[in-house]
Amino acid sequence: AATAPGKKITARLKRTLPVRGPQAPTLSELMRWYCLNTNTHGCRRIVVSRGRLRRLLWILLTLSAVGLILWQCAELLMNYYSASVSVTVQFQKLPFPAVTICNINPYKYSAMKEYLSELDKETKKALETFYGFSEGKSKVRRSVDEWNSTGGDFFQQIPLLKVEDFSRTATDLHSGQKRKIEGSVFHKDSSIVNSGDSNDIIGFQLCDANNSSECALYTFSSGVNAIQEWYKLHYMNIMAQIPLETKEKLSYSADDLLLTCFFDGLSCDKRHFTRFHHPLHGNCYTFNSGENGTILSTSTGGSEYGLQVVLYIDEADYNPFLVTSTGAKIIVHDQNEYPFIEDIGTEIETAAATSIGMHFTRSRKLSKPYSDCTETGADIPVENLYNKSYSLQICLHSCFQKAMVDSCGCAQYAQPLPAGAEYCNYKKNPNWMYCYYRLHEKFVKEQLGCQQICKDACSFKEWALTTSIAQWPSTVSEDWMLRVLSWDKGQKLNKKLNKTDLANLMVFYKDLNERFISENPANTLVILLSNFGGQLGLWMSCSVVCVIEIVEVFFIDSLSIVMRRQWQKAKKWWHNRKQAGSGKPPQASQVERQCHDNPICIDEDLPTFNTALRLPLPQDSPLPRTPPPNYSTLRLETAFTEQLPDTLELGQH
Amino acid sequence: MNLKKYLVRALHRLQKGPGYTYKELLVWYCDNTNTHGPKRIIKEGPKKKLIWFFLTLLFASLVFWQWGILINTYLSYNVTSSLSIGFKTMKFPAVTVCNANPFKYSEVKHLLKELDRLLEAALERILQPTPGNGSENVSPPLNLQLWNQIPLVLIDEHNKDNPIILDIFETNQTAGGNETAANNETIMDKLCALCPQCSQQGSDNCTYRNFTSAAQAVTEWYILQSTSILSKVPLHERIRMGYQAEDMILACLYGAEPCNYKNFTQIYHPDHGNCYIFNWGMDEEALNSSNPGAEFGLKLILDISQQDYIPYLSSAAGARLMLHQQKSFPFLKDQGIYAMAGTETSIGVLVDELERMGYPYSDCTMNGSDVPVKNLYSQYNTSYSIQACLRSCFQNHMAEICGCGHYMFPLPEGVNYCNNEDNPGWAYCYSSLRSSIKQRQICIDSCKETCNDTQYKMTISMADWPSEASEDWIFHILSYERDMSTNVTLDRNGIIKLNIYFQEYNYRTISESAATTIVWLLSSLGGQFGFWMGGSVLCLIEFGEIIIDSLWITIINTISWCKGLKQRRARARYPDAPPTVSELVEAHTNLGFQHEAVGALPRDGALPPEPGTPPPNYDSLRVQPLDILGPDSDAE
């Protein structure tokens, strides 16, 4: 420590003169400088702590604080895309939803006679041979003869079979002969509940027309299901060949279906309804479809102010095999939504007043990146075949239809047609049924990928329905009610109405409260930064400034120091080689080496008079000390003297 | 002079602040503040100084910008919702049971006799347009006074420009195109039944209310007429004419405990006559239910005696029931459901509650006291509800405009119910008011929803009851219990069984809580300030202190300038206000003062040998005091 004061002078110079580049000449000094001067807490403790244990403790504490900060901030970042839910209730005038009403029976049976007579005859025949059922002996006898002569077109296409499961032989319904079943057996409904009694299994076989060895047998535990399914297959074949205009004529007109209509205390009529042809339910009528641009709204809740209709359900004209229940189906939906009556319709009983109270809920989810939903459906690679706004149901149906057209070459009857395709019928596509069943099986097992492609919509409207039923008309009012309604129906209907042909329907808002459930981002950038700041501040009293400091010190400064070291080394090596060459004795004194590190020395900037004056006296010189100035102010400021040990330590270093 | 001394001392004490010039003050502040940026400005080299200066400015502005956003967020009073589902012991809902038909026909027959005969005759005319089939000579002359007030007419609109109006009881055909123009928008190709209403008898101010269906027209007409007749009957008489509790409620079982019609509170409902409320909670404590399932719910057997219905008034038959909160009025037309005769209806209940925070979080009312509509239902001693508000609003308007109250709603003070004698034009007035969109909008705007919205979600299922095998004995016992007679007075068309019970999960509560509280605001503000600048409230106080100091400097400067002006005039020797020596001393003191912030270093007991005091460097201080201040003081 008793080296020349020259070293002290340069050390002093280092501090006093404006420094360019790193704050300290060496890495360790830089670290020291950083720790002493940084704004973060902790680092300073490490440096100023005395004792190894204490220092270790502080190092550990500081490191754990850094670790905690990193952990918590990572947590904050990961939870950034979370949503909070808010529920608001608004009391207001509500738009009345579209109400679509269908008769359960799609087409008038009397009008369909010419198309379906063959099929019905064969179905009746099947019922007789299988179950010994017949209605009116003579009629069946005749039909049997006819059938024998015609040969049974439909049975040849898809034979109904009685299956003995264990022997894997089937009795053909038509010929009565037994034959071995080829191909795989699909239990259409026994897969869920195993019936056990395999003797009664009935089903039909679908074969690939191109490759007759590939057959699939569909079995049902109950003949009711089998006959209906079989009938439906043929029915769809027949219907697919009838043009839409004809079908609309075959189905019910608005005058047929709607007897009276009353909305919001005012009378309404068929012009308030829009016809909508549903492939499975025939003509349906949508009230308040918004087609003419106006959407009715309700400003009073309660049953009197909703929609009240009396429907005429002509039970006598029902198709006996296609539908087995009587009544109407209704669905409450948004004007932009496609009514999936067959999927989510509510059934209406005849001879009863069905009162449906609605409660309106609107929901909105946040789309990406919060959740995987779609706003408009535009980002889904499935073409929307329905002329309505996107919904999951639409996507699934469209996806299936597309797969159907791609693999079977024709479209399924229950769903709309894609461009350039036409409905399947076995005149043109003899193979379609087998193809359809195969494809449907795949679809249900999620092998077509439709369920993966289709996403749910981000916003949806829901009308929660409370359905209750009362007897209508009441026994005492039945008489006059039916008389007046018959009169309403008009002169063309000669018979008196029966109460089982009528259904009264009331659809109304229970209250005008609209519940709106929405997701909001739980975090914004501002809050995220606040949380970061909170974490940094809590553990280390750090801020962005500290981060900049760290970047500055640990990356820029350290790098430059290392670089400079390397540069000096290279320079020294070069110098040494030069010296060795010239033979001069090496004079790399300590001072000079120090000088290499110090930018001041490199600048060769000599201290000026002023700066030299400000230099402190050699501290460990034996000179007697000047007594401290006796100013009162100085005495007060004890901190000033206490500051010194650090300075000393720095000097001794 | 003491005061002056004191003041001088005080002044000196204040002058011991960080500096005597703005620059000194600023440098002192930067060096000693706890915010992170400013320190760098004075500690770094000239280039970095500039960078740090701009960085600090940037961060400060960022902090203020984000603070603005945070405060805005706070003032928007957002709420978050939390949802809880489960089962807990809850108050069993109040159950209101009514008959769909308001009065026993046998009791009101004498009042409605004329009307019924009139309607029958009218129906006869409508259904058989060719008169003269011998019905007139049998019946006594009809009272056409009722008819003339509100006649039913048929309008033949084959000719759209000139529809033919046929009064059912008159043969003359009036061609009145201008009359129908009022609201006749329906253009039908067939005959339709209309119900015209004149504001004044004989005046031209008439409107026709069109119906496309005769059934509706007849029903509406009958309701208008019967309302007018029945509104003249006093209340106690109307209650007597309705269904009595002992006739209607045949059996009652709540949980395992038997109950009977006496456990029901009678209330007169204008639509449905006598209604009976179970567990209304008005007089006694509301019942709790602590078990889910039908066994622990309410079981009722009702008789609606369908044979005694008023034939033209209500065509649907059944019981009307509603679940609602205790002490609230049942609005059966809105929230009620039907139960069909001859069936057992099971209703599983889920209480769907929405608890909201009031103002300023959402615009709702806690008890309706801040709603500008007089609640007419408060006479039933019931709590505020939006339905009550809307109806009160309508009735108040009706009383104001038509001069009488509608029969369906409670009366405001000093107003009577409308009837055809006293208020001949009331039907017209009522119809126009009812269909007025503007009036509805006024009511919607003035009523507020309640903050606690409770809905009873019902899962309704039905089965035929009683079964054919059990029918006989059940009817026999129930008839015996009611009438003490062995005759069966009940049948399938009148009997209803009801089961009302809590589901397995009986509540779903959505409760709101403030998303942004003051604590949230403060921690977010602190987080922002800490994140960008490492600052805290103390830093703000520091800043405030500096501002005060700089104000002092300004004051001192001004004073000294003034003094200087005076002294210059007086040719004083020292132009500067404080003496030079003292200033230097102070400056030195301040140097020490600076170390206070830095001097938070740990100190061990034994101090190393004290270094000598540096040589008096006052000169250097005077030459270049500020440039070297920072680094120098740092070293020492």
Side-chain angles (χ1 to χ4, degrees), chain B residues 469-540:
Chain B
S470 62
E471 202 175 280
D472 285 340
W473 70 265
I474 287 177
F475 286 149
H476 189 86
I477 289 183
L478 288 174
S479 308
Y480 177 78
E481 278 176 356
R482 186 167 69 166
D483 309 328
M484 293 295 168
S485 71
T486 46
N487 299 344
V488 173
T489 52
L490 298 165
D491 62 356
R492 281 200 90 79
N493 282 328
I495 199 145
I496 293 169
K497 189 166 195 262
L498 284 175
N499 298 324
I500 302 163
Y501 53 89
F502 277 140
Q503 290 175 5
E504 194 177 346
Y505 290 106
N506 73 343
Y507 72 94
R508 188 177 75 182
T509 306
I510 298 169
S511 50
E512 279 185 351
S513 54
T516 53
T517 56
I518 195 82
V519 178
W520 172 89
L521 181 68
L522 285 181
S523 62
S524 298
L525 292 182
Q528 281 294 337
F529 199 13
F531 182 70
W532 295 112
M533 297 184 78
S536 65
V537 175
L538 291 178
C539 297
L540 290 182

Side-chain angles (χ1 to χ4, degrees), chain A residues 151-192:
Chain A
D153 246 3
F154 296 102
F155 279 115
Q156 264 170 18
Q157 291 275 4
I158 307 163
L160 266 172
L161 302 165
K162 202 170 197 170
V163 185
E164 282 146 42
D165 204 17
F166 300 112
S167 57
R168 288 181 72 78
T169 52
T171 315
D172 197 323
L173 179 69
H174 172 217
S175 52
Q177 56 187 275
K178 289 199 174 187
R179 63 175 183 190
K180 195 93 179 153
I181 313 159
E182 307 96 354
S184 47
V185 178
F186 294 92
H187 297 277
K188 193 71 181 171
D189 58 6
S190 63
S191 61
I192 305 154

Side-chain angles (χ1 to χ4, degrees), chain A residues 12 15-16 19 23 33 37 39 44-45 48 50 84-87 89-93 260-262 264-265 267-269 271 299-305 308 349 353 355 359 466-477 480-481 483-485 487-488 506 508 510-513 515 526-527 529-530 532-534 536 541-546 548-549 552 557 610 614 619 625-629 631 633-634 637 640 642-648, chain B residues 36-37 40 43-44 48 52 55 59 66 69-70 79-81 123-124 126-127 154 186-187 190 209-216 218-220 306-307 309 311-312 314-317 320 333-335 337-341 352 354 356 386-387 390 434 437 440-441 444 449 453 455 458 460 493 510 512 520 524 527-528 530-534 585 588-589 593 595 598-604 607-611 613 618 620 623 628 631-632 635-636:
Chain A
R12 184 73 187 154
R15 289 194 291 271
T16 49
V19 183
Q23 286 280 0
W33 173 86
N37 288 288
N39 286 313
R44 199 190 173 90
R45 285 287 126 183
V48 298
R50 299 278 156 89
S84 67
V85 176
S86 73
V87 180
V89 173
Q90 211 168 8
F91 175 78
Q92 58 179 24
K93 194 166 140 184
T260 73
C261 167
F262 210 55
D264 203 7
S267 219
C268 50
D269 55 59
R271 278 165 301 138
S299 47
T300 317
S303 51
E304 301 149 274
Y305 296 94
Q308 291 178 44
E349 212 175 312
S355 116
H359 187 73
T466 310
T467 312
S468 61
I469 301 171
Q471 194 182 332
W472 179 88
S474 63
T475 44
V476 284
S477 64
W480 76 267
M481 200 73 187
R483 266 167 63 210
V484 175
L485 284 174
W487 182 80
D488 274 339
M506 290 175 266
F508 56 92
K510 272 159 76 178
D511 49 24
L512 295 178
N513 285 343
R515 241 180 222 205
V526 178
I527 291 167
L529 291 183
S530 290
F532 272 3
L536 290 173
S541 172
C542 184
S543 66
V544 169
V545 176
C546 309
I548 293 174
E549 262 178 18
E552 185 196 10
D557 284 2
N610 263 340
R614 271 185 279 128
Q619 272 162 0
R625 293 188 213 157
T626 327
Y631 302 131
T633 45
L634 270 174
E637 307 299 320
F640 184 61
E642 277 175 351
Q643 185 62 30
L644 286 169
D646 281 330
T647 328
L648 194 73
Chain B
H36 290 177
R40 292 277 128 189
K43 288 252 173 115
E44 301 279 1
K48 280 193 177 173
W52 274 107
L55 272 180
F59 288 162
Q66 308 264 14
I69 293 175
L70 283 172
V79 289
T80 52
S81 308
L123 283 178
E124 206 73 12
I126 293 170
L127 301 177
L154 291 174
T186 343
I187 298 147
K190 64 169 194 171
R209 248 186 102 190
N210 319 20
F211 295 92
T212 48
S213 142
Q216 279 168 358
V218 167
T219 316
E220 283 287 309
Q306 214 183 119
Q307 297 306 328
Y309 267 39
Y312 301 103
S314 50
S315 54
R320 204 86 202 259
K333 284 254 160 151
D334 292 22
Q335 311 258 333
I337 58 164
Y338 279 111
M340 198 152 110
D352 188 11
L354 181 65
R356 282 188 292 163
I386 186 83
Q387 281 91 359
L390 286 176
R434 189 173 109 141
I437 307 277
R440 290 188 194 177
Q441 198 56 48
I444 285 178
E449 66 264 47
D453 178 35
Q455 298 219 339
M458 294 175 278
I460 305 166
N493 282 328
I510 298 169
E512 279 185 351
W520 172 89
S524 298
Q528 281 294 337
F531 182 70
W532 295 112
M533 297 184 78
V585 169
H588 201 89
T589 324
F593 200 77
H595 291 290
V598 195
L601 287 171
R603 246 149 275 289
D604 290 354
L607 282 169
E610 228 175 67
T613 324
Y618 307 124
S620 57
V623 173
I628 46 155
D632 206 87
E636 281 168 17

Side-chain angles (χ1 to χ4, degrees), chain B residues 186-353:
Chain B
T186 343
I187 298 147
M188 296 284 289
D189 290 336
K190 64 169 194 171
L191 289 168
C192 51
L194 291 210
C195 172
Q197 292 155 350
C198 294
S199 63
Q200 291 292 312
Q201 220 167 347
S203 81
D204 289 341
N205 194 1
C206 286
T207 54
Y208 287 87
R209 248 186 102 190
N210 319 20
F211 295 92
T212 48
S213 142
Q216 279 168 358
V218 167
T219 316
E220 283 287 309
W221 180 82
Y222 192 85
I223 288 172
L224 273 179
Q225 296 282 21
S226 62
T227 307
S228 162
I229 292 167
L230 289 167
S231 65
K232 281 178 281 187
V233 180
L235 182 66
H236 63 89
E237 191 70 9
R238 270 182 279 160
I239 291 172
R240 194 190 55 78
M241 291 189 298
Y243 292 86
Q244 304 308 310
E246 56 267 36
D247 294 339
M248 197 165 137
I249 300 157
L250 302 179
C252 171
L253 193 69
Y254 177 74
E257 287 172 49
C259 46
N260 62 14
Y261 66 88
K262 285 173 190 145
N263 296 78
F264 288 75
T265 317
Q266 188 268 342
I267 186 171
Y268 179 76
H269 196 284
D271 286 324
H272 297 287
N274 289 340
C275 287
Y276 298 95
I277 308 179
F278 178 77
N279 193 24
W280 204 15
M282 279 295 185
D283 308 319
E284 69 282 336
E285 273 291 292
L287 294 166
N288 282 323
S289 179
S290 45
N291 286 297
E295 285 307 304
F296 301 95
L298 178 70
K299 290 179 177 178
L300 285 176
I301 296 175
L302 305 175
D303 177 34
I304 56 165
S305 40
Q306 214 183 119
Q307 297 306 328
D308 220 1
Y309 267 39
I310 303 171
Y312 301 103
L313 197 58
S314 50
S315 54
R320 204 86 202 259
L321 73 143
M322 180 180 161
L323 308 184
H324 54 105
Q325 271 186 297
Q326 271 77 28
K327 293 182 183 165
S328 69
F329 190 84
F331 292 98
L332 287 143
K333 284 254 160 151
D334 292 22
Q335 311 258 333
I337 58 164
Y338 279 111
M340 198 152 110
T343 61
E344 172 173 359
T345 305
S346 292
I347 301 168
V349 180
L350 170 80
V351 184
D352 188 11
E353 275 178 304

